[in-house]
């Protein structure tokens, strides 16, 4: 069975969006970003969707976008950190696809988020309280779901190039095993 999509999962700040672009370029596929697609679909920012409709409204939009994307061929998809929370999303993500989890220590995640342009303002689930404790706690709760990926890469000490290279190698190994290498 051919692999039509690569899904990048993992906690916030693990580099999913950062890696989707070079990975897609290397495969001559299209990079997609679930959060960006939700914002486009809603015509609103993630922070505002959470503020107006709560997490439920955001998850409903997310499920809709995941469903659409799960039918597209040759795409590399950066998911949101909580996309794996839904069983329906996980089922769609594992269909004819390769699911890669990008992992990192809570301290690394916290540092990366603080260094990013949108840091906590665009991540409502980290607002209010100490971000490091919140990251540690949320990440621990979600760990069993992230572990359902086909491959997990610990990214703390890797450059984006190295991460991309590792995913490509694993993807090629997998397609060769399935007899469908491009
Ligand atoms: C979320 C992660 C965010 C975004 C939303 C919810 C989560 O995406 O989807 O704020 O539940 O972990 P990133 O992982 O791209 O920050």
């Amino acid at each position: 069975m051919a692999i039509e999509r690569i899904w990048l999962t993992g906690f916030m700040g693990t580099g999913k969006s950062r890696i989707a672009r070079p990975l897609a370029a290397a495969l001559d596929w299209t990079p997609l970003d679930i959060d960006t697609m939700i914002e486009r679909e809603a015509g609103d920012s993630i922070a505002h969707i959470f503020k107006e409709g709560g997490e439920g409204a955001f998850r409903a939009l997310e499920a809709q976008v995941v469903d659409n994307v799960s039918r597209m061929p040759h795409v590399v998809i950066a998911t949101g950190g909580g996309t794996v929370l839904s069983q329906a999303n996980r089922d769609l993500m594992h269909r004819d696809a390769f699911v890669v989890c990008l992992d990192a220590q809570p301290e690394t995640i916290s540092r990366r988020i603080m260094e990013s342009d949108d840091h906590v303002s665009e991540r409502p689930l980290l607002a209010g309280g100490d971000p490091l404790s919140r990251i540690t706690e949320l990440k621990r709760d979600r760990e069993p779901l992230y572990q359902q990926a086909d491959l997990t890469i610990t990214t703390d000490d890797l450059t984006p190039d190295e991460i991309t290279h590792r995913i490509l190698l694993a993807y090629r190994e997998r397609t060769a095993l399935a007899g469908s290498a491009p």
Side-chain angles (χ1 to χ4, degrees), residues 82-160:
T83 307
V84 293
L85 290 171
S86 140
Q87 174 75 55
N89 288 351
R90 296 198 301 275
D91 288 346
L92 290 170
M93 287 161 63
H94 281 273
R95 199 174 292 166
D96 304 335
F98 189 40
V99 180
V100 180
C101 176
L102 303 183
D103 193 20
Q105 290 299 315
E107 290 75 12
T108 309
I109 291 172
S110 175
R111 181 172 40 75
R112 286 182 187 159
I113 288 177
M114 290 308 159
E115 283 168 6
S116 71
D117 294 339
D118 51 7
H119 52 87
V120 181
S121 64
E122 276 306 310
R123 292 178 164 102
L125 292 179
L126 297 183
D130 166 40
L132 182 57
S133 328
R134 187 80 182 117
I135 290 165
T136 308
E137 185 186 311
L138 260 184
K139 187 172 180 290
R140 192 180 40 227
D141 290 349
R142 293 173 174 183
E143 216 60 73
L145 304 178
Y146 293 135
Q147 282 170 6
Q148 293 176 23
D150 299 308
L151 168 75
T152 297
I153 299 183
T154 303
T155 63
D156 300 81
D157 301 319
L158 296 179
T159 64

Side-chain angles (χ1 to χ4, degrees), residues 38 42 46-65 82 85-86 89 124-125 142:
I38 292 170
I46 289 176
H48 202 247
I49 298 168
F50 265 81
K51 191 159 172 259
E52 291 295 304
E55 186 173 348
F58 175 78
R59 296 296 172 208
L61 283 164
E62 185 177 50
Q64 216 174 71
V65 171
L85 290 171
S86 140
N89 288 351
L125 292 179
R142 293 173 174 183

